[in-house]
Amino acid sequence: MSGDLLVRGGRVVRASGDALADVLVLGGVVVEVGHALQSPPGTPVLDASGCLVLPGLVDPQVHFREPGLEHKEDLASGSLAAIGGGVTGFMEMPNTKPSTTTPELLADKIARALGRAHGDFAFFLGATAQNADRLGEWEQLPGCAGVKIFMGSSTGDLLVPDDPTVERVLRSGRRRVAVHAEDDYRLKERYKALKPDTHIRHHHEVRDVETAVLATRRLLNLAEKTGRKVHVLHISTAEEVALIRERALGDLVTAEVTPNHLFLAAPDCYDQYGSLAQMNPPVRDVRHRDALRKGLVDGVLTCIGSDHAPHSLVEKQKPYPDTPSGIPGVQTILPLLLTGVRDGWLSLSTIARVACLGACRVYGIKGKGDLAKGFDGDLVVVDPNVRLPLERTWLHSKAGYSPYVGWLLAGWQREVVLRGEVVYRDHAPVGAPKGQLLRFS
Ligand code: DOR
């Protein structure tokens, strides 16, 4: 029956720990997690023995490019990549074409997603000087993930570079505001001074440490001044981790890191992958990578977001700095984190805390991110015996590339379940897309 499932015999991984257990989902909702569970007659059974069973991941930062940039990605292909990665909930960014800056444009995205999105979803509204004072009202709309501010320019034309306008946005509304924190004034100066032959290898020096730290410091000051909760996206420097730790602003400030900043490091990543490793803020050297890993494990960084940001290979082949920034990654969050467990710096329960529950805590998403009574029956069954190099053909993003192709895996997702229904199995979707709106408290 639709939405009923007994997942039998797996190692259930939660933020609080892991144990061998069955998971019973009835009517799309977890009703029990425990040993030798009985289910009503006719309940489908999924044998997970020998496998890990994690809550479905929730990725709070993806760019699925629709409308306007569908040659890079669309809601169907992006969300297929998401469920292929065990990501059953996603929050999509507003720098599409046009940018998502009004209730009408938000409604248009929701209409496009219904019937085509493979996982549950919400969309961010982009902040501008023009809509700043309306955002408090609009952020309450169903299907709205909240408000996103670009303090520094990246793909698209959304930009709120100055403190007075950032402050106006922060004073309009209550929900946590997501922020791309790079200082646009410093960025403009640095791009102006760029020598014509600057190589991609220097991307992390062009958009340097100070560019990120300046903006994050300004943002923390404004959060403190206004009392508005903020979420710092894709933290990229050791200095920002230290800053957030030292300022100790509690729940006022949460922060996110991408797998790219945890698993790649400059300069090697640029030498090996060229512009395929180019994103904003940039991947930096191992000192930063190691501080980010530590910040994630000890809780200064609250969650993982992939910042899945596909561009076409043709666009990626332009000469630097005309190459667009962004790395596809929604499908490779979990397999990369599992290599972190294999390599000894990450635990399974930390994965559940930061990749499943993390975004739900940050944004107040209801019923997701855990396998406990009353939560949605969203889960991913991982076969830990898949020890193969990552295959490009397994990836569903239109991008068609990933720096992680060929990396040796420490497990791969076998089945993915959304509200009690298997929606993905053995590298392919099962059934029609069933994504619904995420709900927020
Ligand atoms: O590298 C990036 N790409 N960083 C962003 O902030 C935007 C993203 C995109 O949309 O391409």
Side-chain angles (χ1 to χ4, degrees), residues 63 65 95 150 154-155 180 234 279-280 307 309 311 325-326:
H63 301 265
R65 308 299 194 203
N95 56 333
F150 281 88
S154 195
T155 303
H180 179 129
H234 37 44
M279 68 170 294
N280 301 330
D307 194 10
H311 298 281
S325 291

Side-chain angles (χ1 to χ4, degrees), residues 2 74-83 88 90 110-121 418-419 421-424 428-437:
S2 165
D74 62 38
L75 287 161
S77 60
S79 65
L80 178 56
I83 57 157
T88 50
F90 64 86
I110 293 170
R112 290 166 180 270
L114 287 167
R116 288 174 59 234
H118 291 267
D120 290 351
F121 55 84
L418 178 67
R419 282 178 270 103
E421 293 188 69
V422 175
V423 292
Y424 192 87
V430 177
K434 296 182 180 64
Q436 297 179 0
L437 272 61

Side-chain angles (χ1 to χ4, degrees), residues 403-416:
Y404 308 111
V405 167
W407 281 37
L408 191 63
L409 297 168
W412 186 258
Q413 36 292 345
R414 197 184 70 184
E415 280 103 0
V416 180

Side-chain angles (χ1 to χ4, degrees), residues 276-299:
L276 301 193
Q278 180 187 330
M279 68 170 294
N280 301 330
V283 172
R284 307 184 192 279
D285 64 34
V286 285
R287 178 176 76 83
H288 297 288
R289 184 200 66 189
D290 291 348
L292 293 166
R293 288 181 175 186
K294 185 167 181 305
L296 186 71
V297 169
D298 68 19

Side-chain angles (χ1 to χ4, degrees), residues 45-64:
V45 176
L46 180 57
D47 181 5
S49 46
C51 291
L52 304 171
V53 176
L54 285 97
L57 279 72
V58 176
D59 187 344
Q61 193 184 177
V62 299
H63 301 265
F64 286 167

Side-chain angles (χ1 to χ4, degrees), residues 49-52 338 382-388 409-412 414:
S49 46
C51 291
L52 304 171
L338 290 169
V382 173
D383 181 352
N385 299 312
V386 177
R387 306 274 161 145
L388 304 166
L409 297 168
W412 186 258
R414 197 184 70 184

